[in-house]
Amino acid sequence: MPLTTETPESGAADFFADLPVSQSAADTFDASRYRPAPDDWVLVVTDIVDSTIAIANGQHKTVNFVAAMAIGALKNLCAPTALPFLFGGDGSVVMVPPQHAQATRLSLARVRGFALREFGLSLRIGQAPVAVLRRFGSDVLVGRFEPTPGNSFGVFLGGGVGTLETAVRGRGDPELIALAAIPMELDDGQPVDLAGLSCRWNPLQSGRGKMLTLILSGAVDPGTVHARVMQLAGQGGDARPVRLDTLGTSWPPKGFMLEARVTRGGGPLWKAVLKVLLETLVARLLFVLRRPVGGFDPDKYLREVTTNTDFCKHDDTVSFVIDCPLDCIEQIRSYLDAQVASGALRYGMNVSETALMTCLVASPTQNLHVHFVDGGDGGYTSAAKTMKAHASTAAAAAAARPPTP
């Protein structure tokens, strides 16, 4: 099927819901499954400032939680419209229909202010209509990764995400930087709706060796590279980081204060804490008893958690977490090093004992829940840092080489 190049009708609220479904990560490398976004849909990018320092100071779980806040806020704002979104560990990407553009600016400003006041984290935020990004030479094509019915993530092609990320970081065309900016004074201090955002699972312990976080960028054929990495990682078992044997809960959950602080709205914190503690205690008992209650089936929910996890892909960058035996990690490293040496791609890697999971649950009884995974010990942030270091080393080596006669 050829790639559709016709831009959908402006304002099409069902744009994302009508996209072809990719049920596996491998499907997302098929360009024919992507469609151009409507001109008037709005792309949103967020990024946490100095996330490396925050993680080094023990705030990794908080960084992941804050990175997911924009997704939760905008999904609640635009419900029931289906939105494409992706999670990047210390930032996120979301698209919203035009009728919510102004409300999105206000919601993002409130999320940024809340993150700073409540957690001491500075959040870069920005948004731009797709038509503006096209005017600046980038396109936005969207795919729909849906591991189970009703639980969709966005994947992107065309360069628009990268262009907006650059602008939000204060680089690139000054006009686009100004157009994407959301003024600090727009935040009125009012609470934002973050219902459904939670952090109730224990860190996912590797059952096979180590949790491996990878960022691959610049490959001409990223699907082939991803397939080879998964083939190497899958030797002797399931490489998914979220499996029934890696899922575990405790009570009270370690992240209960995060959830209480973001879901209390304007109410007192102690009430939110009691509510979260009560809900998590009931959930804990249901998972222990493994008996359906009131439309909630614990076994079914657990099975869905293992599949409803994100797969981060935009432009020429692919990011994912896998559970690998140690010898598989070395094979993957050797394979990717060879690809780098041939100039085929760039990559960043982080190896850790655990992975972290942040959840966005719209309805546990209606099977509407998605889960964002990041490797432990910095995960995506650390992998991005190593990729930048590799790129700097390669650039220095190229500059030091004598010119060809």
Side-chain angles (χ1 to χ4, degrees):
M1 182 173 64
L3 178 64
T4 299
T5 56
E6 182 180 351
T7 301
E9 181 181 352
S10 292
D14 54 357
F15 159 68
F16 185 58
D18 285 349
L19 292 182
V21 172
S22 296
Q23 292 183 308
S24 70
D27 288 342
T28 66
F29 296 102
D30 179 359
S32 71
R33 295 175 180 270
Y34 290 72
R35 299 291 184 271
D39 273 343
D40 54 0
W41 273 56
V42 176
L43 187 68
V44 170
V45 165
T46 74
D47 174 56
I48 295 174
V49 180
D50 294 329
S51 55
T52 303
I53 296 174
I55 290 169
N57 290 335
Q59 289 186 283
H60 190 185
K61 205 171 188 68
T62 305
V63 165
N64 285 173
F65 214 70
V66 169
M69 277 171 29
I71 299 173
L74 298 185
K75 273 181 64 67
N76 289 335
L77 173 70
C78 300
T81 302
L83 304 180
F85 57 85
L86 62 82
F87 169 81
D90 59 358
S92 61
V93 178
V94 191
M95 284 195 72
V96 299
Q99 63 268 30
H100 295 291
Q102 289 304 314
T104 291
R105 281 169 57 84
L106 177 59
S107 184
L108 289 172
R110 288 171 172 171
V111 165
R112 177 176 57 193
F114 180 77
L116 184 60
R117 291 188 299 271
E118 196 75 19
F119 303 113
L121 293 176
S122 297
L123 191 63
R124 299 185 185 98
I125 56 174
Q127 67 179 66
V130 170
V132 169
L133 295 169
R134 288 180 175 138
R135 179 160 63 84
F136 281 90
S138 296
D139 205 352
V140 181
L141 292 88
V142 185
R144 179 176 157 207
F145 172 47
E146 187 169 289
T148 62
N151 296 297
S152 300
F153 302 91
V155 285
F156 300 85
L157 289 176
V161 171
T163 296
L164 185 56
E165 283 181 335
T166 299
V168 167
R169 292 186 175 104
R171 302 191 296 270
D173 192 295
E175 184 184 355
L176 181 57
I177 293 172
L179 287 170
I182 297 176
M184 298 288 290
E185 56 268 22
L186 193 60
D187 174 30
D188 56 8
Q190 292 299 307
V192 65
D193 182 4
L194 295 169
L197 194 61
S198 64
C199 192
R200 299 179 179 182
W201 297 98
N202 293 338
L204 306 169
Q205 298 289 331
S206 170
R208 308 183 67 222
K210 300 283 186 179
M211 293 293 188
L212 181 64
T213 306
L214 282 171
I215 301 176
L216 312 176
S217 184
V220 174
D221 186 0
T224 297
V225 177
H226 175 263
R228 179 57 177 157
V229 170
M230 295 305 294
Q231 180 187 40
L232 292 170
Q235 297 178 51
D238 187 349
R240 291 178 301 171
V242 187
R243 304 187 304 273
L244 293 179
D245 63 293
T246 61
L247 283 171
T249 60
S250 57
W251 194 86
K254 294 181 179 179
F256 79 92
M257 282 300 298
L258 282 173
E259 183 177 346
R261 290 162 76 176
V262 303
T263 58
R264 64 171 166 158
L269 181 59
W270 67 268
K271 284 189 177 180
V273 169
L274 288 179
K275 181 175 182 290
V276 171
L277 289 177
L278 178 59
E279 289 178 354
T280 54
L281 179 58
V282 171
R284 172 72 172 161
L285 292 174
L286 291 177
F287 284 125
V288 170
L289 295 174
R290 295 291 183 93
R291 293 179 181 175
V293 176
F296 177 69
D297 185 338
D299 284 332
K300 187 174 188 294
Y301 186 84
L302 286 172
R303 291 193 301 271
E304 290 173 343
V305 170
T306 68
T307 57
N308 293 3
T309 55
D310 59 317
F311 179 73
C312 181
K313 179 184 179 299
H314 68 84
D315 304 334
D316 66 351
T317 299
V318 183
S319 308
F320 54 99
V321 181
I322 46 182
D323 189 359
C324 282
L326 294 177
D327 57 339
C328 293
I329 292 175
E330 292 311 311
Q331 292 177 52
I332 291 169
R333 193 192 305 273
S334 296
Y335 166 69
L336 293 176
D337 283 343
Q339 295 291 307
V340 170
S342 68
L345 55 75
R346 305 180 304 280
Y347 83 94
M349 176 185 289
N350 180 67
V351 181
S352 59
E353 298 286 344
T354 63
L356 302 180
M357 188 162 67
T358 304
C359 307
L360 187 56
V361 182
S363 173
T365 58
Q366 297 180 33
N367 310 314
L368 298 177
H369 55 105
V370 294
H371 308 272
F372 309 122
V373 181
D374 190 11
D377 300 332
Y380 286 133
T381 300
S382 296
K385 185 177 179 181
T386 64
M387 185 165 69
K388 291 175 184 177
H390 290 163
S392 298
T393 301
R401 283 196 294 267
T404 303

